[in-house]
Amino acid sequence: MELHQAPDQPFAVPVTRRSPEWGWLEYLLHASCSTYRIRLRSACSVANKRLSLEFDARCKGLLQLHAWLPVAEIPFGQTVEDICRNGFKAGHVGVSFHVGNLQLPSLYDDGRDRGGNDRGHNVKSRGRSLPAGRRLYEFLLCRVGAGRSYLVDKAAQAESLALPPEFDSFCVRHSPANEQVVNEEFPGVLPRHVLHHEYMVRDPAQALPVYLVHFEFDPEMPELLNLPLCDSCGLQAALVYCQADDAILCRPCDTRIHSANKLASRHIRVELNRRPNGPLGSCPDHSGAEADMYCTECKLPVCQHCRKLGNHSAGEAKNHRLIGLREAYQHALKESSSTANSMLSERQRVEQQQVAQLDQRLVAVQESTQALEDGIYDQVQLAVKQGQALAEEQASLFMADELEAKRQLEQVAWMDSFMEDHVKNLPPPDYLNAWLLHAKVREDVNQLGRLQQARASAMLRLEGGLRLVTDDSKVYSSEAAGTMTAAPRPRGGKSPPKTRFLLDG
Ligand SMILES: [Zn+2]
Ligand SMILES: [Zn+2]
Ligand SMILES: [Zn+2]
Ligand SMILES: [Zn+2]
């Protein structure tokens, strides 16, 4: 794989190492790949005024998201340079962007294929090989104006659909059942929340390249996200610490051990990271040395080497206020939990409100649908009852006719049998006389008892149909034998159309 030399591009400006921007990008990669074995090697900010103006014009007010795009997966044969200079091509199909977890092929080295969707976006490229199993990847971080998304089950489905005018993008459903994946291969790592949303945009102006990064995955790096194993079962990640037992335990063992008897149930347990005298971790500048202090001015952990010979040994930094690392840590934990609520961004608040409102609307739609169904069923039941009564009436007329016809036949048969059984044995003259009489009787029967053709109508038909009327006076009607015309598409933002029905015809 040829790597593109980002710094040569006029549209890309290198990001300074260890700057907040750099840290943000690296952290985003750690979170996306759920591993700390990733090191950012280079990052360039794509500074293309024209593209960002076009993006802002198109996506103003739309929901926007950040998505990583592996350079090896850029569609339509475009190069990174091409995209940074001229933007994306969307074709008629559009470009797919994946939000959430990235599944790098080298995260697992046993060569088994794990399927992509249950663990996030399965990156196809294995990256460029480096010594010792390390790999170098090239990704583009993009901003995507997703706006309102039309949900589809498969990407292929979206390819053949026209995007309905109320929507800005497609969202492809990815197995929501697997949002919580237990990581059985790495028992020391917590079950991770896997997120995988795929958005497809048709308008190239809805995607903007913002950073080009090269990062390295190194399987030899310590996995800081690994948790120690449970002291009891030794299989699962320990999450709690019990001071009385001086043991770290996984949740199932904690429950089992501490519900065994009353005494044990009184043990005070704390979350693992709050255990007193836990390991402190090493100094970022002096690996192997424990960082026991924290500089409140540099916002950096400091070890004894730093104080004796390093960055806090001389000059102005020598007088920086240092506090115990544990104290700083406890302070930060307290702050993070107490501000967890107030840190909710405005956007989250708005989104939570929207979710609540949409829930209400969905409930309203469901209720209106229920009322509609109930109403239709009531009408149908009434119609069925009336139909049954009419049918009974008709049937009773037919039945009467049928019985009458049978009676006529019986009568003829009865007369004929009299002829056969008795009259036939009369002496011939009497027989001849009787025969004339019999014929006359038959004639009479024929003339008088002639069954009239059915007096009732033989069939009930359904005429007309149901008309559904929405709040905004759209009418959807069904013909008696046909099917209901297309259901109204919900228009977001507006209150749900209440649907009434009218029995027509
Ligand atoms: Zn356990
Ligand atoms: Zn205990
Ligand atoms: Zn300092
Ligand atoms: Zn140090």
Side-chain angles (χ1 to χ4, degrees), residues 211-225:
Y211 287 100
L212 176 63
V213 303
H214 294 116
F215 67 86
E216 179 189 322
F217 172 76
D218 182 355
E220 296 302 311
M221 267 171 79
E223 177 53 274
L224 298 181
L225 295 180

Side-chain angles (χ1 to χ4, degrees), residues 68-175:
W68 290 111
L69 177 67
V71 165
E73 293 179 23
I74 291 177
F76 308 118
Q78 276 191 294
T79 62
V80 152
E81 288 91 338
D82 192 11
I83 285 174
C84 293
R85 282 169 202 275
N86 306 312
F88 283 93
K89 274 188 221 157
H92 71 283
V93 179
V95 191
S96 263
F97 292 94
H98 298 262
V99 173
N101 291 66
L102 283 175
Q103 189 60 47
L104 299 178
S106 56
L107 282 180
Y108 301 103
D109 261 351
D110 61 2
R112 271 189 286 154
D113 181 32
R114 288 166 199 274
N117 291 346
D118 57 341
R119 287 165 191 277
H121 175 47
N122 202 26
V123 176
K124 289 167 199 93
S125 155
R126 293 186 70 85
R128 195 175 76 173
S129 287
L130 297 173
R134 286 150 52 211
R135 283 182 189 280
L136 190 62
Y137 291 93
E138 188 181 28
F139 273 65
L140 202 53
L141 185 67
C142 302
R143 230 165 61 219
V144 182
R148 179 173 297 129
S149 294
Y150 186 85
L151 193 64
V152 291
D153 285 325
K154 292 217 161 62
Q157 194 186 337
E159 285 167 15
S160 58
L161 278 176
L163 187 62
E166 301 91 334
F167 293 88
D168 306 293
S169 62
F170 288 102
C171 180
V172 184
R173 204 192 287 275
H174 282 284
S175 49

Side-chain angles (χ1 to χ4, degrees), residues 169-202:
S169 62
F170 288 102
C171 180
V172 184
R173 204 192 287 275
H174 282 284
S175 49
N178 290 315
E179 272 189 4
Q180 287 281 338
V181 176
V182 178
N183 206 341
E184 66 282 0
E185 291 86 1
F186 294 96
V189 178
L190 274 178
R192 297 177 302 194
H193 188 149
V194 174
L195 175 79
H196 185 192
H197 294 166
E198 180 181 351
Y199 295 91
M200 284 172 87
V201 295
R202 291 262 163 92

Side-chain angles (χ1 to χ4, degrees), residues 261-375:
N261 58 60
K262 222 175 180 170
L263 212 60
S265 72
R266 284 195 214 133
H267 289 180
I268 292 167
R269 282 93 74 196
V270 291
E271 284 170 55
L272 193 67
N273 63 358
R274 289 176 188 269
R275 85 181 128 153
N277 308 319
L280 280 174
S282 61
C283 169
D285 285 344
H286 305 94
S287 60
E290 202 172 62
D292 54 345
M293 303 294 273
Y294 184 79
C295 175
T296 56
E297 280 158 72
C298 308
K299 312 275 182 219
L300 280 175
V302 171
C303 77
Q304 49 168 331
H305 299 302
C306 296
R307 294 195 294 279
K308 274 187 200 143
L309 308 154
N311 52 20
H312 283 75
S313 60
E316 196 208 334
K318 197 174 193 281
N319 300 319
H320 282 175
R321 197 169 88 84
L322 303 180
I323 57 170
L325 189 76
R326 223 177 278 285
E327 190 190 335
Y329 178 63
Q330 292 301 337
H331 184 74
L333 280 182
K334 207 190 252 170
E335 204 172 27
S336 81
S337 63
S338 74
T339 54
N341 282 325
S342 59
M343 268 171 64
L344 270 184
S345 70
E346 186 52 33
R347 174 165 151 177
Q348 277 171 302
R349 272 184 219 289
V350 169
E351 275 162 6
Q352 283 177 348
Q353 272 175 11
Q354 277 183 343
V355 168
Q357 278 173 6
L358 289 171
D359 273 349
Q360 278 178 4
R361 285 175 182 179
L362 281 172
V363 168
V365 168
Q366 280 159 358
E367 278 171 357
S368 130
T369 310
Q370 189 59 50
L372 179 74
E373 275 181 27
D374 289 350

